[in-house]
Amino acid sequence: MEKTCKHLKSYLHKFHTEDNPEEFLFYIDRKGIRSQMSIDNVEKFVARYGKKAQETSTDVPEHLYPHMWRHSRAMHLYRNGMPLPLVAEWLGHAKMDTTRRFYANADTTMKKETIEKATSDFYSLFSNEYDVDWEDDEDLMKKLYGLK
């Protein structure tokens, strides 16, 4: 995504001035020695900045954790038409079943949109656009019941 690339380039420019592909992307610096950032440290950052974000937006969930972004992005891709096998590949899952069980549960919105898309040709029949006053039409009723 363009915006993500922009943020990543900015981060790399600021924190990775030397081109060293062996260096950790996210790191801590202790006494001049860079080492891998721990999962606990990442969770603390997410919690800290999540609380700040909650002060300005009620849309931010109360309990944030790093894996939430992974799941949210996978669902976003799936909802916007990425086929499930590609979502599984993007996530790096060895088995499709993992993706299906944990990431790709269709939500109510997806189900509604799918039903509307599948029945869109018939939808106009059920709207108020057409006069379907057949109750008093004896000939039509006989035809519908195969009696005429």
Side-chain angles (χ1 to χ4, degrees):
M1 292 172 37
E2 189 176 324
K3 191 174 181 181
T4 304
C5 288
K6 182 180 173 184
H7 288 299
L8 179 60
K9 285 178 184 177
S10 174
Y11 172 83
L12 291 172
H13 180 73
K14 186 172 182 174
F15 294 102
H16 289 275
T17 54
E18 297 174 18
D19 187 21
N20 182 358
E22 299 297 317
E23 195 169 65
F24 294 110
L25 181 60
F26 301 104
Y27 57 86
I28 58 169
D29 203 345
R30 282 196 189 132
K31 298 180 183 179
I33 300 171
R34 288 183 177 174
S35 57
Q36 182 177 5
M37 187 180 288
S38 71
I39 293 170
D40 289 342
N41 205 14
V42 173
E43 288 174 348
K44 287 176 187 174
F45 273 111
V46 169
R48 180 185 313 149
Y49 290 106
K51 285 181 183 176
K52 273 189 171 184
Q54 289 167 1
E55 293 171 8
T56 59
S57 175
T58 57
D59 292 336
V60 178
E62 192 172 327
H63 300 289
L64 289 176
Y65 51 93
H67 202 77
M68 188 179 283
W69 273 287
R70 178 177 162 87
H71 176 77
S72 296
R73 185 63 181 143
M75 286 301 294
H76 181 257
L77 292 170
Y78 183 57
R79 284 184 185 134
N80 285 284
M82 181 182 270
L84 198 55
L86 288 179
V87 173
E89 188 176 321
W90 183 81
L91 290 166
H93 289 165
K95 296 181 180 181
M96 266 290 292
D97 192 47
T98 304
T99 310
R100 195 175 293 115
R101 279 187 304 163
F102 296 107
Y103 287 91
N105 296 315
D107 64 8
T108 306
T109 303
M110 288 176 70
K111 291 174 187 175
K112 180 181 180 241
E113 289 171 358
T114 302
I115 290 168
E116 286 175 357
K117 194 182 289 185
T119 60
S120 61
D121 293 340
F122 304 111
Y123 183 73
S124 59
L125 295 175
F126 301 110
S127 70
N128 292 332
E129 294 176 24
Y130 296 99
D131 180 16
V132 290
D133 187 20
W134 44 264
E135 291 179 310
D136 296 327
D137 190 336
E138 189 70 29
D139 281 346
L140 178 60
M141 293 301 290
K142 286 180 181 178
K143 285 178 187 176
L144 289 173
Y145 282 101
L147 300 174
K148 188 171 184 185

